[in-house]
Coordinates of all heavy atoms in Angstrom, one line a residue:
M5 N 254.7 133.3 72.2 CA 254.7 134.4 71.3 C 254.2 135.6 72.0 O 253.3 135.6 72.8 CB 253.7 134.1 70.1 CG 253.5 135.2 69.2 SD 252.6 134.9 67.7 CE 250.9 134.7 68.3
N6 N 254.9 136.7 71.8 CA 254.5 138.0 72.3 C 253.6 138.7 71.3 O 253.7 138.5 70.1 CB 255.7 138.9 72.5 CG 256.7 138.4 73.6 OD1 256.2 137.8 74.5 ND2 258.0 138.5 73.3
R7 N 252.7 139.6 71.8 CA 251.8 140.3 70.9 C 251.9 141.8 71.4 O 251.9 142.1 72.6 CB 250.4 139.8 71.0 CG 250.3 138.5 70.4 CD 248.9 138.0 70.2 NE 248.0 138.3 71.4 CZ 246.7 138.1 71.4 NH1 246.1 137.6 70.4 NH2 246.1 138.3 72.5
I8 N 251.9 142.7 70.4 CA 251.8 144.1 70.7 C 250.8 144.7 69.9 O 250.5 144.3 68.7 CB 253.2 144.8 70.5 CG1 253.2 146.2 71.1 CG2 253.6 144.8 69.0 CD1 254.5 146.8 71.4
H9 N 250.0 145.6 70.4 CA 248.9 146.3 69.8 C 249.2 147.8 69.7 O 249.5 148.4 70.7 CB 247.6 146.0 70.6 CG 246.4 146.6 69.9 ND1 245.9 147.8 70.3 CD2 245.6 146.1 69.0 CE1 244.8 148.0 69.6 NE2 244.6 147.0 68.8
Y10 N 249.1 148.3 68.5 CA 249.3 149.8 68.3 C 248.0 150.4 67.8 O 247.3 149.9 67.0 CB 250.4 150.0 67.2 CG 251.7 149.5 67.5 CD1 252.2 148.3 67.0 CD2 252.6 150.3 68.4 CE1 253.5 147.9 67.3 CE2 253.9 149.8 68.7 CZ 254.3 148.6 68.1 OH 255.6 148.2 68.4
E11 N 247.8 151.6 68.4 CA 246.7 152.5 67.9 C 247.5 153.5 67.0 O 248.5 154.0 67.4 CB 246.0 153.2 69.0 CG 245.3 152.3 70.0 CD 244.1 151.6 69.3 OE1 243.5 152.2 68.4 OE2 243.8 150.4 69.7
T12 N 247.0 153.7 65.8 CA 247.7 154.5 64.8 C 246.8 155.5 64.1 O 245.5 155.3 64.1 CB 248.4 153.7 63.8 OG1 247.4 153.0 63.0 CG2 249.4 152.7 64.4
S13 N 247.4 156.4 63.5 CA 246.7 157.2 62.5 C 247.5 157.1 61.2 O 248.7 157.0 61.2 CB 246.5 158.7 62.9 OG 247.8 159.3 63.1
G14 N 246.8 157.2 60.1 CA 247.5 157.2 58.8 C 247.3 155.9 58.0 O 247.7 155.8 56.8
I15 N 246.5 155.0 58.5 CA 246.1 153.8 57.7 C 244.8 154.3 56.9 O 243.7 154.1 57.4 CB 245.8 152.6 58.5 CG1 247.0 152.3 59.4 CG2 245.5 151.4 57.6 CD1 246.7 151.1 60.4
Q16 N 245.0 154.9 55.8 CA 243.9 155.5 55.1 C 243.2 154.7 54.1 O 242.0 154.9 53.7 CB 244.3 156.8 54.5 CG 244.9 157.8 55.5 CD 245.8 158.9 54.9 OE1 246.1 158.8 53.7 NE2 246.1 159.9 55.6
N17 N 243.9 153.7 53.5 CA 243.3 152.9 52.5 C 243.9 151.5 52.4 O 244.9 151.2 53.1 CB 243.4 153.6 51.1 CG 244.8 154.0 50.8 OD1 245.7 153.2 51.0 ND2 245.0 155.2 50.3
S18 N 243.4 150.7 51.5 CA 243.9 149.3 51.4 C 245.4 149.3 50.9 O 246.1 148.3 51.2 CB 243.0 148.5 50.6 OG 242.9 149.0 49.3
E19 N 245.8 150.3 50.1 CA 247.1 150.3 49.6 C 248.2 150.5 50.8 O 249.2 149.7 50.8 CB 247.3 151.4 48.6 CG 248.7 151.4 48.0 CD 248.8 152.5 46.9 OE1 247.9 152.8 46.2 OE2 249.9 153.1 46.9
I20 N 247.9 151.4 51.7 CA 248.8 151.6 52.8 C 248.7 150.3 53.7 O 249.8 149.9 54.2 CB 248.4 152.8 53.6 CG1 248.7 154.1 52.7 CG2 249.1 152.9 54.9 CD1 248.2 155.4 53.3
K21 N 247.5 149.7 53.9 CA 247.4 148.5 54.7 C 248.3 147.4 54.1 O 249.0 146.7 54.8 CB 246.0 148.0 54.7 CG 245.7 146.8 55.4 CD 244.3 146.3 55.4 CE 244.1 145.0 56.1 NZ 242.7 144.5 56.1
T22 N 248.3 147.2 52.8 CA 249.1 146.2 52.1 C 250.6 146.5 52.3 O 251.4 145.6 52.6 CB 248.7 146.1 50.6 OG1 247.3 145.8 50.5 CG2 249.6 145.1 49.9
Q23 N 251.0 147.8 52.1 CA 252.4 148.1 52.3 C 252.8 147.8 53.7 O 253.9 147.3 53.9 CB 252.6 149.6 51.9 CG 252.5 150.0 50.5 CD 252.5 151.5 50.3 OE1 252.6 152.3 51.2 NE2 252.5 151.9 49.0
L24 N 252.0 148.2 54.6 CA 252.3 148.0 56.0 C 252.5 146.5 56.4 O 253.4 146.1 57.0 CB 251.3 148.6 56.9 CG 251.5 148.7 58.4 CD1 252.8 149.4 58.7 CD2 250.3 149.5 59.0
K25 N 251.5 145.7 55.9 CA 251.6 144.2 56.2 C 252.8 143.6 55.5 O 253.5 142.8 56.1 CB 250.3 143.6 55.6 CG 250.3 142.1 55.9 CD 248.9 141.5 55.8 CE 248.9 140.0 55.9 NZ 249.8 139.3 56.8
N26 N 253.1 144.0 54.3 CA 254.3 143.4 53.6 C 255.6 143.8 54.3 O 256.5 143.0 54.4 CB 254.3 143.9 52.1 CG 253.2 143.3 51.3 OD1 252.7 142.3 51.6 ND2 252.9 143.9 50.2
A27 N 255.7 145.1 54.8 CA 256.9 145.5 55.5 C 257.0 144.8 56.8 O 258.1 144.3 57.1 CB 256.8 147.0 55.7
L28 N 256.0 144.6 57.6 CA 256.0 143.9 58.8 C 256.4 142.5 58.7 O 257.1 141.9 59.5 CB 254.8 144.1 59.6 CG 254.5 145.5 60.2 CD1 253.1 145.7 60.7 CD2 255.5 145.8 61.3
D29 N 255.8 141.8 57.6 CA 256.1 140.4 57.4 C 257.5 140.1 57.0 O 258.0 139.0 57.2 CB 255.2 139.9 56.2 CG 253.7 139.6 56.6 OD1 253.5 139.4 57.8 OD2 252.9 139.6 55.7
K30 N 258.3 141.1 56.6 CA 259.7 141.0 56.3 C 260.6 141.0 57.5 O 261.7 140.6 57.4 CB 260.1 142.0 55.3 CG 259.5 141.9 53.9 CD 260.0 143.0 53.0 CE 259.3 142.9 51.6 NZ 259.7 144.0 50.8
I31 N 260.1 141.4 58.6 CA 260.9 141.4 59.9 C 261.0 140.0 60.4 O 260.1 139.3 60.6 CB 260.2 142.4 60.9 CG1 260.2 143.8 60.4 CG2 261.0 142.3 62.2 CD1 259.4 144.7 61.3
N32 N 262.3 139.6 60.6 CA 262.6 138.3 61.2 C 262.0 138.1 62.5 O 262.2 139.0 63.4 CB 264.1 138.1 61.2 CG 264.5 136.7 61.6 OD1 263.7 135.7 61.3 ND2 265.6 136.5 62.3
G33 N 261.1 137.1 62.7 CA 260.5 136.9 64.0 C 259.1 137.3 64.1 O 258.3 136.8 65.0
V34 N 258.6 138.1 63.1 CA 257.2 138.4 63.1 C 256.4 137.3 62.5 O 256.7 136.8 61.4 CB 256.9 139.7 62.3 CG1 255.5 140.0 62.1 CG2 257.6 140.9 63.0
S35 N 255.4 136.8 63.2 CA 254.6 135.6 62.8 C 253.2 135.9 62.5 O 252.5 135.1 61.9 CB 254.7 134.5 63.8 OG 254.2 135.0 65.1
M36 N 252.7 137.1 62.9 CA 251.3 137.4 62.7 C 251.1 139.0 62.6 O 251.7 139.7 63.4 CB 250.5 136.9 63.9 CG 249.0 137.1 63.8 SD 248.3 138.5 64.8 CE 249.0 138.3 66.3
V37 N 250.3 139.4 61.7 CA 250.0 140.8 61.5 C 248.5 141.0 61.2 O 248.0 140.4 60.3 CB 250.8 141.5 60.4 CG1 250.4 142.9 60.2 CG2 252.3 141.4 60.6
N38 N 247.8 141.7 62.1 CA 246.4 142.0 61.9 C 246.3 143.5 61.9 O 246.7 144.2 62.8 CB 245.5 141.4 63.0 CG 245.4 139.9 63.0 OD1 245.4 139.4 61.9 ND2 245.4 139.3 64.1
I39 N 245.7 144.0 60.8 CA 245.5 145.5 60.6 C 244.0 145.8 60.4 O 243.4 145.2 59.6 CB 246.3 146.0 59.4 CG1 247.8 145.7 59.6 CG2 246.1 147.5 59.2 CD1 248.6 146.0 58.3
D40 N 243.5 146.6 61.3 CA 242.1 147.1 61.2 C 242.1 148.5 60.7 O 242.4 149.4 61.5 CB 241.4 146.9 62.6 CG 239.9 147.2 62.5 OD1 239.5 148.0 61.7 OD2 239.2 146.6 63.3
V41 N 241.7 148.7 59.5 CA 241.8 150.1 58.9 C 240.7 151.0 59.6 O 241.0 152.1 59.9 CB 241.5 150.1 57.4 CG1 241.4 151.5 56.8 CG2 242.6 149.3 56.7
A42 N 239.5 150.5 59.8 CA 238.5 151.3 60.4 C 238.8 151.8 61.8 O 238.5 152.9 62.2 CB 237.2 150.4 60.5
R43 N 239.5 150.9 62.6 CA 239.9 151.3 64.0 C 241.2 152.0 64.0 O 241.6 152.6 65.1 CB 239.9 150.1 64.9 CG 238.5 149.6 65.2 CD 238.6 148.5 66.2 NE 237.3 148.0 66.5 CZ 237.0 146.8 67.1 NH1 238.0 146.1 67.4 NH2 235.8 146.5 67.3
G44 N 242.0 151.9 63.0 CA 243.4 152.4 63.0 C 244.3 151.6 63.9 O 245.1 152.2 64.7
S45 N 244.1 150.3 64.0 CA 244.9 149.5 64.9 C 245.7 148.4 64.2 O 245.3 147.9 63.1 CB 244.0 148.8 65.9 OG 243.1 147.9 65.4
I46 N 246.8 148.1 64.8 CA 247.7 147.1 64.2 C 248.1 146.1 65.4 O 248.5 146.6 66.4 CB 249.0 147.7 63.7 CG1 248.7 148.7 62.6 CG2 249.9 146.6 63.1 CD1 249.9 149.6 62.3
E47 N 247.9 144.8 65.2 CA 248.4 143.9 66.2 C 249.4 143.0 65.5 O 249.3 142.5 64.4 CB 247.2 143.0 66.6 CG 247.6 142.0 67.7 CD 246.4 141.1 68.1 OE1 245.4 141.1 67.4 OE2 246.6 140.5 69.2
V48 N 250.6 142.9 66.2 CA 251.7 142.1 65.7 C 252.1 141.0 66.7 O 252.3 141.3 67.9 CB 252.9 143.1 65.4 CG1 254.1 142.3 64.9 CG2 252.6 144.2 64.5
G49 N 252.2 139.8 66.2 CA 252.7 138.7 67.0 C 254.1 138.4 66.6 O 254.4 138.4 65.4
Y50 N 255.0 138.2 67.6 CA 256.4 138.1 67.3 C 257.0 137.2 68.3 O 256.5 137.1 69.4 CB 257.1 139.4 67.1 CG 257.1 140.3 68.4 CD1 258.2 140.3 69.2 CD2 256.0 141.0 68.7 CE1 258.1 141.0 70.4 CE2 255.9 141.8 69.9 CZ 257.0 141.8 70.7 OH 257.0 142.5 71.9
N51 N 258.2 136.7 68.0 CA 259.0 135.9 69.0 C 260.2 136.7 69.4 O 260.4 137.9 69.0 CB 259.4 134.5 68.4 CG 260.2 134.6 67.2 OD1 261.1 135.5 67.1 ND2 260.1 133.6 66.3
Q52 N 261.0 136.1 70.2 CA 262.1 136.9 70.8 C 263.2 137.4 69.8 O 263.9 138.3 70.1 CB 262.9 136.0 71.8 CG 262.0 135.6 73.0 CD 261.4 136.8 73.8 OE1 262.1 137.8 73.8 NE2 260.3 136.6 74.4
S53 N 263.2 136.8 68.6 CA 264.2 137.3 67.6 C 263.8 138.6 67.0 O 264.6 139.3 66.3 CB 264.4 136.2 66.5 OG 263.2 136.0 65.8
A54 N 262.5 139.0 67.1 CA 262.0 140.3 66.6 C 262.3 141.4 67.6 O 262.2 141.2 68.8 CB 260.6 140.2 66.2
D55 N 262.6 142.6 67.1 CA 262.9 143.7 67.9 C 261.7 144.7 67.9 O 261.3 145.1 66.8 CB 264.2 144.4 67.4 CG 264.6 145.7 68.1 OD1 264.0 146.0 69.2 OD2 265.5 146.4 67.7
E56 N 261.2 145.0 69.1 CA 260.0 145.8 69.2 C 260.3 147.2 68.6 O 259.4 147.8 67.9 CB 259.6 145.9 70.6 CG 258.3 146.6 70.8 CD 257.9 146.7 72.3 OE1 258.1 145.7 73.0 OE2 257.3 147.7 72.6
N57 N 261.5 147.7 68.7 CA 261.8 149.0 68.2 C 261.8 149.0 66.6 O 261.4 150.0 66.0 CB 263.1 149.5 68.7 CG 263.1 149.9 70.2 OD1 262.1 150.4 70.6 ND2 264.1 149.6 70.9
L58 N 262.2 147.9 66.1 CA 262.2 147.7 64.6 C 260.8 147.7 64.1 O 260.5 148.2 63.1 CB 263.0 146.5 64.2 CG 263.1 146.2 62.7 CD1 263.8 147.3 62.0 CD2 263.9 144.9 62.5
I59 N 259.9 147.0 64.8 CA 258.5 146.9 64.4 C 257.9 148.3 64.4 O 257.2 148.7 63.5 CB 257.7 146.0 65.4 CG1 258.2 144.5 65.2 CG2 256.2 146.1 65.2 CD1 257.7 143.6 66.3
K60 N 258.1 149.1 65.5 CA 257.6 150.4 65.6 C 258.2 151.3 64.5 O 257.4 152.1 63.9 CB 258.0 151.0 67.0 CG 257.4 152.3 67.3 CD 257.7 152.7 68.7 CE 257.1 154.0 69.1 NZ 257.4 154.4 70.5
S61 N 259.5 151.2 64.2 CA 260.1 152.0 63.2 C 259.5 151.7 61.8 O 259.3 152.5 61.0 CB 261.6 151.7 63.2 OG 262.2 152.4 62.1
C62 N 259.3 150.4 61.6 CA 258.7 149.9 60.3 C 257.3 150.6 60.1 O 257.0 151.1 59.0 CB 258.6 148.4 60.3 SG 257.9 147.7 58.8
I63 N 256.5 150.6 61.1 CA 255.2 151.2 61.0 C 255.3 152.7 60.7 O 254.6 153.2 59.8 CB 254.4 151.0 62.3 CG1 254.1 149.5 62.5 CG2 253.1 151.8 62.4 CD1 253.5 149.1 63.9
E64 N 256.2 153.4 61.4 CA 256.3 154.8 61.1 C 256.9 155.1 59.8 O 256.6 156.1 59.1 CB 257.2 155.4 62.2 CG 256.5 155.4 63.6 CD 257.4 155.8 64.8 OE1 258.6 155.6 64.7 OE2 256.8 156.2 65.8
T65 N 257.8 154.2 59.3 CA 258.4 154.4 57.9 C 257.4 154.3 56.8 O 257.5 155.1 55.8 CB 259.5 153.4 57.7 OG1 260.5 153.5 58.7 CG2 260.1 153.5 56.3
V66 N 256.4 153.5 57.0 CA 255.3 153.4 56.0 C 254.5 154.6 56.0 O 253.8 154.9 55.0 CB 254.5 152.1 56.3 CG1 253.2 152.1 55.4 CG2 255.3 150.9 56.0
G67 N 254.5 155.4 57.1 CA 253.7 156.7 57.1 C 252.6 156.7 58.1 O 251.8 157.7 58.1
C68 N 252.6 155.8 59.0 CA 251.6 155.8 60.1 C 252.2 156.4 61.4 O 253.4 156.2 61.7 CB 251.1 154.4 60.4 SG 250.3 153.6 59.0
E69 N 251.4 157.1 62.1 CA 251.8 157.7 63.4 C 251.2 156.8 64.5 O 250.0 156.6 64.5 CB 251.3 159.1 63.5 CG 251.7 159.8 64.8 CD 251.2 161.2 65.0 OE1 250.8 161.8 64.0 OE2 251.1 161.6 66.1
I70 N 252.1 156.4 65.4 CA 251.6 155.6 66.5 C 251.1 156.5 67.6 O 251.9 157.4 68.1 CB 252.8 154.7 67.0 CG1 253.2 153.7 66.0 CG2 252.4 153.9 68.3 CD1 254.4 152.8 66.3
T71 N 249.9 156.3 68.0 CA 249.3 157.2 69.0 C 249.1 156.5 70.4 O 248.8 157.1 71.4 CB 247.9 157.7 68.6 OG1 247.0 156.5 68.3 CG2 248.0 158.5 67.3
G72 N 249.3 155.1 70.4 CA 249.2 154.4 71.6 C 249.7 152.9 71.4 O 249.7 152.5 70.2
Q73 N 250.0 152.2 72.5 CA 250.4 150.8 72.3 C 250.2 150.1 73.6 O 250.2 150.7 74.7 CB 251.9 150.7 71.9 CG 252.9 151.0 72.9 CD 254.3 150.9 72.4 OE1 254.6 151.4 71.3 NE2 255.2 150.2 73.1
S74 N 250.0 148.8 73.5 CA 249.9 147.9 74.6 C 250.6 146.6 74.3 O 250.5 146.1 73.1 CB 248.5 147.7 75.1 OG 247.7 147.1 74.0
L75 N 251.3 146.0 75.3 CA 252.0 144.8 75.1 C 251.4 143.6 75.8 O 251.0 143.8 77.0 CB 253.5 145.0 75.6 CG 254.4 143.8 75.5 CD1 254.7 143.4 74.1 CD2 255.7 144.1 76.2
E76 N 251.2 142.5 75.2 CA 250.7 141.3 75.8 C 251.8 140.2 75.7 O 252.3 140.0 74.6 CB 249.4 140.8 75.1 CG 248.3 141.8 75.1 CD 247.1 141.4 74.3 OE1 247.0 140.2 74.1 OE2 246.4 142.3 73.9
Q77 N 252.0 139.5 76.7 CA 252.9 138.4 76.7 C 252.3 137.1 77.0 O 251.3 137.0 77.6 CB 254.1 138.6 77.6 CG 254.9 139.8 77.1 CD 256.3 140.0 77.8 OE1 256.7 139.1 78.5 NE2 256.9 141.1 77.5

């Protein structure tokens, strides 16, 4: 499983956190989503069938701005 970690701005409350988690969970291949509102961070675990660009686009569509990212394999 690959993991990617995003630093973001825009996760302001639990409603946005829930919307973001639900949207990411719908992406085929995403198996884990951890969102830390206080730190503004999102960690996503995914397999090869998930597209990293789709994950990033999903986060931005919900209204969060990605300010940094790191990939772990």
Side-chain angles (χ1 to χ4, degrees):
M5 175 172 69
N6 296 323
R7 293 189 315 174
I8 191 158
H9 183 262
Y10 294 102
E11 297 295 327
T12 65
S13 62
I15 308 174
Q16 301 163 345
N17 55 44
S18 61
E19 183 178 324
I20 292 173
K21 177 182 175 180
T22 301
Q23 289 175 357
L24 189 53
K25 181 162 176 31
N26 290 342
L28 289 167
D29 282 339
K30 290 179 183 176
I31 297 174
N32 187 31
V34 170
S35 57
M36 183 260 313
V37 177
N38 290 324
I39 301 171
D40 187 330
V41 175
R43 291 185 177 164
S45 67
I46 304 166
E47 183 179 15
V48 181
Y50 63 97
N51 62 33
Q52 297 300 332
S53 65
D55 180 5
E56 188 178 323
N57 291 325
L58 182 59
I59 294 170
K60 189 174 179 178
S61 176
C62 179
I63 293 169
E64 292 171 338
T65 299
V66 171
C68 298
E69 180 182 342
I70 295 173
T71 58
Q73 72 182 48
S74 60
L75 178 64
E76 301 173 26
Q77 295 193 9

